[in-house]
Amino acid sequence: MLTRLLSGDFPRSRMLSTLLVLILLYLATAPFLFSGARSLNVAATVCVFIVLVASFDLLLGYCGVVSFAHAMFYGIGAYGVAIAMYKMGPTWSAMATGAAAAIAVSVLLSFLIALISLRVKAIFYTMMTLAFGAAFGALVMRLSGITGGDDGRTFRLPEVLTPAYRLFENPVLGTAINGRVLTYYLIFFVSAALFLLMLRVVNSRFGRVLEAIRENDFRAEAIGYRTLYYRIAINCLAAALATCAGILMALWLRYVGPQTTVGFNVMLNILLMAVIGGLGTVYGAVVGAVLFIVAENYLQSLMGGLSGSLTSVPLLAKLFHPDRWMLWFGLVFVLSVYFFPSGIVGKLRTALPGSKGLR
């Protein structure tokens, strides 16, 4: 059963298998293990970005396509469900309508972009996707009557997903099962299903053709594969998955704004997570998302405590000031790329070549 669930793509390393199991347990039990809104917010963000980064890895890691428009589809998903629920009210039908419309728009738009842009090569394609992403960001700001402009758009969820709702009168294992917890598990299970879907895609015949295109598109074309068709198909699939990630994030935040969805920093974060975790692995998205988001949320606090304990050494206290957390994170990123050129997952898979991982 496990072989079918993972599509035969095992971690192939005991250390990696242990790490992935620990991450799964952390995400599955986060509402019960940790108290406070911040810890639950970190876990929900990890779930969403696993889907988002893995969908980007389908393009870059498996097909060799570098697209800077991926955050645009993430934003379409978030804005689609937010606008629908803002206009139509906090109902399940509004949520479904917004989600379906966002996915349809993303697939159509990605098809048109791929049809136009994939005919050019290398850096020219990348620059064209960057232009499309920037144009969408400008459009969001201009259509302030619909999107809320720079202020963004808040909306309400169905009653079952609100913090005031209680599934049980008494707490379960010390945790009140309210609408916030139900929203988290909705995000968790949908993210897990989408992740398993991506594992199935990359381990199918379709996924093998994508890898062949990445390694040598001319040879893949020569043996009979219409590489343009495959690239268009994976662009559409990746866009739909990124849109789903945007929908989940909007449901969690109950807010959507340009800085949280379509800002260029979102695209950079996706790229960093993919590279840190390891391209062309899917599992790399899990490791990269966890490391980046946990560091982003807790590194400042740790540095604050360290800086406070170093007040007797002013130079070190300033060096470890919480405002400089990006400096240290950047240094860690450079070192990780230097020592783990294939990403953390790639390194763990080759560290123990004889290990077969979980079976």
Side-chain angles (χ1 to χ4, degrees), residues 16-331:
L16 178 59
S17 299
T18 303
L19 179 61
L20 292 173
V21 168
L22 289 175
I23 292 173
L24 177 61
L25 291 175
Y26 155 64
L27 295 176
T29 59
F32 301 98
L33 288 181
F34 306 101
S35 59
R38 184 181 184 183
S39 58
L40 193 60
N41 181 66
V42 170
T45 306
V46 167
C47 290
V48 172
F49 270 86
I50 285 174
V51 176
L52 184 58
V53 176
S55 64
F56 179 71
D57 194 33
L58 293 180
L59 291 175
L60 180 57
Y62 283 90
C63 197
V65 175
V66 183
S67 172
F68 281 117
H70 206 63
M72 176 180 70
F73 302 114
Y74 174 68
I76 289 174
Y79 273 103
V81 73
I83 292 171
M85 298 191 74
Y86 177 79
K87 297 290 186 180
M88 301 170 61
T91 62
W92 292 103
S93 60
M95 185 189 300
T97 301
I103 292 172
V105 169
S106 289
V107 171
L108 178 60
L109 190 58
S110 65
F111 175 79
L112 295 175
I113 292 174
L115 199 62
I116 297 170
S117 305
L118 283 175
R119 297 183 182 277
V120 297
K121 301 293 183 181
I123 191 65
F124 302 104
Y125 169 77
T126 303
M127 295 306 295
M128 288 186 73
T129 59
L130 180 62
F132 281 115
F136 180 77
L139 186 64
V140 166
M141 299 296 291
R142 289 296 183 91
L143 298 176
S144 57
I146 300 174
T147 64
D150 198 27
D151 295 329
R153 180 70 72 196
T154 57
F155 59 95
R156 292 181 298 148
L157 295 177
E159 184 183 359
V160 177
L161 302 180
T162 58
Y165 177 81
R166 292 290 188 276
L167 185 62
F168 304 111
E169 291 185 4
N170 299 319
V172 177
L173 299 177
T175 301
I177 309 301
N178 57 18
R180 197 65 170 161
V181 174
L182 295 178
T183 305
Y184 173 79
Y185 277 110
L186 172 65
I187 293 171
F188 171 75
F189 284 114
V190 172
S191 298
L194 293 174
F195 179 81
L196 294 175
L197 172 64
M198 284 183 274
L199 269 181
R200 180 61 57 88
V201 169
V202 299
N203 290 286
S204 65
R205 180 176 175 272
F206 178 76
R208 300 293 180 244
V209 175
L210 293 179
E211 292 179 356
I213 295 172
R214 178 194 64 196
E215 297 300 326
N216 193 320
D217 60 340
F218 179 78
R219 184 173 296 175
E221 186 85 32
I223 61 178
Y225 293 110
R226 302 298 296 272
T227 57
L228 179 61
Y229 294 167
Y230 280 91
R231 283 176 169 165
I232 291 175
I234 196 60
N235 265 270
C236 293
L237 177 61
L241 291 167
T243 304
C244 291
I247 292 168
L248 294 177
M249 182 56 81
L251 293 179
W252 178 252
L253 296 178
R254 290 170 292 170
Y255 164 82
V256 60
Q259 294 303 316
T260 59
T261 52
V262 296
F264 190 67
N265 62 304
V266 177
M267 190 64 239
L268 287 180
N269 290 345
I270 296 170
L271 184 59
L272 286 174
M273 293 179 209
V275 173
I276 291 171
L279 295 172
T281 61
V282 179
Y283 290 116
V286 179
V287 177
V290 170
L291 288 179
F292 185 92
I293 293 169
V294 170
E296 186 180 32
N297 283 272
Y298 294 110
L299 187 58
Q300 279 184 296
S301 301
L302 293 174
M303 288 181 63
L306 183 60
S307 179
S309 64
L310 294 173
T311 51
S312 58
V313 188
L315 180 61
L316 290 179
K318 290 182 179 179
L319 192 60
F320 289 99
H321 193 275
D323 291 342
R324 293 182 172 84
W325 78 273
M326 280 297 291
L327 171 66
W328 289 101
F329 186 81
L331 180 61

